[in-house]
Amino acid sequence: CPHGRRIMPVIIGQRLRAKRWTWRGLLFVAAGFALSPCLRLRTCAALPWVRQAPQGILTDVARSCSETARQGRERAAEVIDADIANAVYCPECRFHGLGLLEDAVDSAAVRCMREEACRLVEQGRLTPSGDPTEPQLSPQFKKYLGSLPTLTILKPGQAERESLPGLSYGSAFLESVCQQLSSLRPENEPLEPGTLQLACYDGEGTAYHVHEDYVSAGEYDPDDLPEHHRFSMKRRVTAILYLQDEWNEEAGGNFRGHVRRPPEEGQPASDEFVDVQQKGASMLLFRS
């Protein structure tokens, strides 16, 4: 997406949920080669695990949406194995199973998803709350209060119905990641996909504030929240797949994971959080 705009299909309802429990997702960019598939464990205050996904067959985005969806499901089966499932569920991990799968999907798929996401942004389909009837932010709002992330919720089968082959691939990929994690850890609660969230951070200081994806049922009234946030108590795993094509550290926007909720005032200790640069085609996974 031009000018450093970040497009992130975030599965917040495609959060893995245990046949009752939810999950979320994001996207990254793929390299043209594969490194060793070994899981690399990290020490404290660094990302607990990083893995380079094996190189796959380049996605043919010129095919039908049903075909690209099939390719997305096959790719998830290639990259999610028992080592990754065990790392996500590792009880000793200080950052709740947080880890990075590099080159989770290939460059052709990322490019197609990003182009489709940019078109949806240009059409005004993404709004601050995800409600498609909500008006866009006015220039005056942005001038005095700043910009906000915008998002939309892609319902099951919506990408295929709208003839979006890239997002059909991404939706199927993330749904299959959920299914793979669930099947590889049968001793845990079975997971099922939730809603699929596509979000755009267009610079100008937009960011997610510190929050927890899982919220216990006693802490909120579902009727006070948008529909896609009403099942926060069901979330179990979050997957984030990044779609930007270019990134540098000066642009900011890194993902920050915390060991525990940080203090309301001041900064957490340096070993209490980890920052992850958001490479396109990569996927973050962690327990919600």
Side-chain angles (χ1 to χ4, degrees), residues 160-187:
E160 291 190 48
R161 290 192 298 273
E162 296 188 17
S163 300
L164 301 170
L167 293 175
S168 296
Y169 175 100
S171 300
F173 172 80
L174 288 165
E175 289 175 4
S176 189
V177 167
C178 170
Q179 293 160 0
Q180 287 290 112
L181 288 174
S182 189
S183 65
L184 290 166
R185 294 283 300 194
E187 66 274 25

Side-chain angles (χ1 to χ4, degrees), residues 140-166:
Q140 289 85 355
F141 184 100
K142 291 184 178 182
K143 178 180 179 180
Y144 294 107
L145 299 176
S147 190
L148 294 172
T150 57
L151 60 98
T152 189
I153 303 300
L154 298 176
K155 296 180 180 178
Q158 180 178 344
E160 291 190 48
R161 290 192 298 273
E162 296 188 17
S163 300
L164 301 170

Side-chain angles (χ1 to χ4, degrees), residues 24 31 43 57 61 67 75 85 97 107 112 132 213 259 261:
R24 25 179 339 185
T43 57
I57 299 174
V61 294
E67 181 62 19
R75 180 59 177 167
S107 57
C112 187
D213 273 359
V259 172
R261 185 178 296 184

Side-chain angles (χ1 to χ4, degrees), residues 27 35 52 73 94 119 125 127 132 139 144 187 192 201 211 244 260 273:
L27 291 152
L35 302 178
Q52 178 81 31
R73 288 189 290 271
R94 297 181 67 240
R119 287 201 298 272
R125 299 273 297 276
T127 65
Y144 294 107
E187 66 274 25
E192 64 179 15
Y201 295 71
H211 68 282
Q244 63 273 7
R260 58 184 59 84
F273 67 89

